Amino acid sequence: MIINTRDNIANQLSNKVYDVCICGAGPAGITLARKLAEKGRQVALMEGGDRSLSSDSQQLYRGDSLGTPYPVAASRLRYFGGTSNHWGGETRPLDERDFQPLAYHPYNEWPIAKQDLDVYTAEVSKILDLDQPDLKDDVFDNKASNLPLMTPAYRYSKPVTRFGIKYGEEISESPNIHLHLNANLVDISLNNDHDEVSEFVFRYDPESQAFAIKARYFVLSCGGLENPRALLLANKQMSNGIGNRHDMVGRHFCEHIETTIGSAVMKESHESTGFNICTDVLMRSKKCLSFLVEFSATGSDENSSFLQRLYDSIFGASEPELQSEISLIIQQACNPESRVTLTDKKDEFGLKRLALNWRQTALDHHTIRTAAIEVANTLARHDIGRMKVAPFILDRSVEIPIGFMNHHMCTTRMSKDERTGVVDQDCKVFGLDNFFIAGSSVFASAGVSNPTYTIIQLALRLGGHMNELLD
Ligand SMILES: Cc1cc2nc3c(=O)[nH]c(=O)nc-3n(C[C@H](O)[C@H](O)[C@H](O)COP(=O)(O)OP(=O)(O)OC[C@H]3O[C@@H](n4cnc5c(N)ncnc54)[C@H](O)[C@@H]3O)c2cc1C
């Protein structure tokens, strides 16, 4: 049901106590709301935007980029359905190794196992309309290429799931979900003992009165940048913000770094394709993090004259159109200095805007260089091509161009230990008995897979957990 009335909303809701109040109706919030409603729970689903994009709402996402340049507003959408309104629909589960401890990357380990999330494979496939449910990384499973290399098992959302569109009608007809649009979270209140959230406070617009939503349980699902901002802003009872006793909120911001590592002349033509040549053995022996490789379709490389000469010198014959540009996607290392903080600039509600200080580490640079050399060696070893690596691979004085994929992770990371995380293995905020977080901000580490698949797995798991609590 959609709650449209703004008149006297505070009075209308004053005696209402929902089972769960979820703030943020993107993929995480909508999935969780549906999971709870399925069991008859009374859910308030609070969304800051409307049913479609508006500049008034979108500009609330503006902020500063202090480190490696990053479009903090343009990398997300602030309306019903969230950033799924323009996501690409490419999905992949995390790898087993993403959950394991790594001596040279102290924050790698998750406090849960891959199996804890994989039990939701069928449900996620249905929610996201994924093709090929049992696809695994494999040699030759990608028909675009005949190269003897492992291809990553990307599965695609088809038609690409826009959560607001796909689930809007179901939600508006559900007696169990009250969807409030244009309801902007402006504060979070705690009880007197500061061990529970007592209410989320909202305003429809900067001129309107604030109103509170009361519930037994509360969930923040505003995305990987806004979740930490909301916790930091809620500082009237806890001066450092909520869930921030150990100054962990906003730290460890991770992206999937994307960069072009060179071009190759290939022996045979192929379509654009991805490869997974990063094995556990390679990672541990080279002390790098996870990576995936993308080859553009042969013939699409701009550096063709050099590559043509290279081809001629290696393979002897003149065979045009066999160049391929090679790019890399890497797991970024967790880094407490890569972080979301608040600035002194304020938004239309008088709330401090965020600043993102996105930083890379020596381990990120090492992963990029190691991966590039491994790609070059692999092509030569299998005699399937020869690669010209980009100047920054061998010359450390050349800056590495750092690209991003609009994936905002780890800013309220999951941990066994409150000193190294913000939520526990159940996505519950440390120190608060009834407050949970959903979305990629809870990722313990980033892995190399696009995040939305894992976001949905985690939301389903959280829904199951909350349903048990509510029984
Ligand atoms: C161009 C692009 C392409 C992408 N492609 C892919 C892809 O191919 N594969 C993939 O896995 N991922 C992709 N992503 C990332 C994907 O979109 C996100 O991982 C996903 O949308 C995150 O879901 P979420 O629900 O956690 O957050 P969001 O989708 O960001 O939703 C957060 C919701 O919270 C609401 N909100 C925010 N602040 C407030 C507030 N103060 N009060 C009330 N409500 C609030 C917002 O309006 C929004 O509806 C892409 C992203 C972009 C930008």
Side-chain angles (χ1 to χ4, degrees):
M1 170 190 308
I2 300 184
I3 306 294
N4 266 328
T5 171
R6 292 183 175 207
D7 299 337
N8 211 9
I9 187 81
N11 282 345
Q12 286 187 46
L13 291 171
S14 60
N15 293 323
K16 174 94 186 151
V17 180
Y18 288 94
D19 288 325
V20 183
C21 173
I22 301 171
C23 181
I30 287 178
T31 302
L32 179 60
R34 293 180 65 242
K35 186 82 179 166
L36 293 164
E38 213 176 80
K39 289 273 183 205
R41 310 303 179 197
Q42 285 288 298
V43 178
L45 179 58
M46 313 301 290
E47 168 53 44
D50 209 323
R51 275 186 172 274
S52 56
L53 185 66
S54 78
S55 57
D56 280 355
S57 177
Q58 189 62 27
Q59 61 80 31
L60 292 167
Y61 266 166
R62 278 184 10 231
D64 289 346
S65 167
L66 305 178
T68 303
Y70 201 88
V72 292
S75 60
R76 49 204 178 130
L77 285 175
R78 199 179 185 282
Y79 66 99
F80 184 51
T83 314
S84 78
N85 286 298
H86 70 181
W87 78 308
E90 186 174 74
T91 78
R92 186 170 181 271
L94 288 171
D95 293 308
E96 182 70 49
R97 62 168 168 255
D98 297 330
F99 294 82
Q100 307 296 331
L102 264 187
Y104 53 90
H105 181 224
Y107 298 100
N108 205 69
E109 189 179 6
W110 287 62
I112 57 174
K114 179 171 164 58
Q115 184 53 27
D116 293 329
L117 299 181
D118 281 352
V119 292
Y120 300 104
T121 300
E123 234 174 314
V124 178
S125 302
K126 210 168 148 203
I127 289 168
L128 292 176
D129 286 317
L130 297 180
D131 53 4
Q132 300 172 281
D134 298 320
L135 197 61
K136 303 260 186 309
D137 284 12
D138 201 1
V139 180
F140 296 137
D141 68 357
N142 184 341
K143 300 291 178 283
S145 155
N146 288 324
L147 307 179
L149 300 175
M150 182 87 88
T151 55
Y154 284 118
R155 298 171 60 205
Y156 292 90
S157 176
K158 284 183 192 161
V160 68
T161 304
R162 311 280 175 223
F163 275 73
I165 294 168
K166 181 170 177 189
Y167 299 111
E169 195 176 324
E170 175 191 315
I171 288 172
S172 62
E173 285 174 5
S174 168
N176 297 327
I177 302 177
H178 286 180
L179 170 65
H180 297 243
L181 294 169
N182 301 298
N184 300 280
L185 181 73
V186 292
D187 204 1
I188 300 171
S189 302
L190 302 181
N191 64 358
N192 290 337
D193 293 337
H194 294 182
D195 59 4
E196 283 194 352
V197 169
S198 55
E199 54 190 33
F200 274 3
V201 182
F202 297 89
R203 286 167 76 181
Y204 285 124
D205 57 59
E207 277 73 48
S208 69
Q209 290 290 312
F211 65 96
I213 296 283
K214 294 189 181 62
R216 292 174 65 190
Y217 295 95
F218 293 84
V219 182
L220 197 56
S221 51
C222 292
L225 294 177
E226 217 58 20
N227 285 346
R229 178 179 176 231
L231 295 179
L232 293 171
L233 283 170
N235 60 5
K236 68 174 188 286
Q237 291 161 289
M238 313 282 273
S239 59
N240 287 339
I242 288 180
N244 202 22
R245 286 199 293 224
H246 296 276
D247 190 22
M248 284 298 296
V249 170
R251 291 192 184 270
H252 294 291
F253 172 82
C254 284
E255 248 283 4
H256 291 128
I257 297 174
E258 191 175 32
T259 192
T260 300
I261 51 171
S263 15
V265 54
M266 308 297 282
K267 208 165 176 184
E268 291 175 12
S269 64
H270 60 77
E271 297 299 314
S272 70
T273 186
F275 289 113
N276 183 4
I277 59 169
C278 177
T279 61
D280 293 2
V281 173
L282 172 84
M283 254 178 78
R284 286 170 197 273
S285 66
K286 302 284 182 190
K287 293 190 167 45
C288 66
L289 295 185
S290 201
F291 62 87
L292 292 170
V293 189
E294 303 273 350
F295 282 57
S296 69
T298 44
S300 57
D301 198 280
E302 289 169 2
N303 197 9
S304 59
S305 63
F306 165 81
L307 291 163
Q308 185 66 61
R309 290 198 304 279
L310 183 64
Y311 184 95
D312 292 347
S313 69
I314 297 165
F315 300 118
S318 187
E319 185 77 42
E321 303 296 311
L322 289 175
Q323 302 85 27
S324 175
E325 189 165 273
I326 306 174
S327 55
L328 206 61
I329 297 159
I330 70 152
Q331 170 186 0
Q332 183 175 9
C334 285
N335 167 18
E337 302 311 319
S338 181
R339 64 187 295 202
V340 173
T341 53
L342 300 178
T343 69
D344 286 332
K345 296 175 193 159
K346 298 206 172 148
D347 69 14
E348 279 58 28
F349 290 97
L351 302 173
K352 289 184 173 182
R353 292 189 183 275
L354 65 77
L356 173 64
N357 190 349
W358 183 33
R359 294 211 205 161
Q360 294 75 44
T361 59
L363 182 52
D364 300 326
H365 298 161
H366 172 67
T367 298
I368 291 169
R369 292 194 169 102
T370 304
I373 290 165
E374 188 59 25
V375 175
N377 285 339
T378 303
L379 293 183
R381 195 182 316 127
H382 292 282
D383 195 28
I384 50 183
R386 297 294 184 276
M387 179 174 171
K388 180 194 179 195
V389 295
F392 58 83
I393 299 300
L394 300 175
D395 183 349
R396 281 163 195 273
S397 67
V398 181
E399 202 175 322
I400 300 178
I402 300 290
F404 53 84
M405 296 185 70
N406 305 297
H407 301 160
H408 311 145
M409 297 167 286
C410 307
T411 47
T412 63
R413 70 185 291 276
M414 181 189 284
S415 175
K416 280 183 195 144
D417 183 343
E418 183 173 4
R419 288 166 303 178
T420 55
V422 176
V423 300
D424 68 11
Q425 60 182 15
D426 293 322
C427 297
K428 189 182 79 59
V429 177
F430 284 114
L432 291 161
D433 294 339
N434 66 343
F435 188 24
F436 297 83
I437 299 183
S440 49
S441 65
V442 306
F443 287 15
S445 57
V448 76
S449 303
N450 309 48
T452 307
Y453 188 97
T454 310
I455 290 173
I456 303 303
Q457 288 177 313
L458 283 164
L460 292 170
R461 182 170 176 271
L462 177 57
H465 177 64
M466 296 187 85
N467 275 327
E468 279 173 18
L469 291 174
L470 286 158
D471 274 344

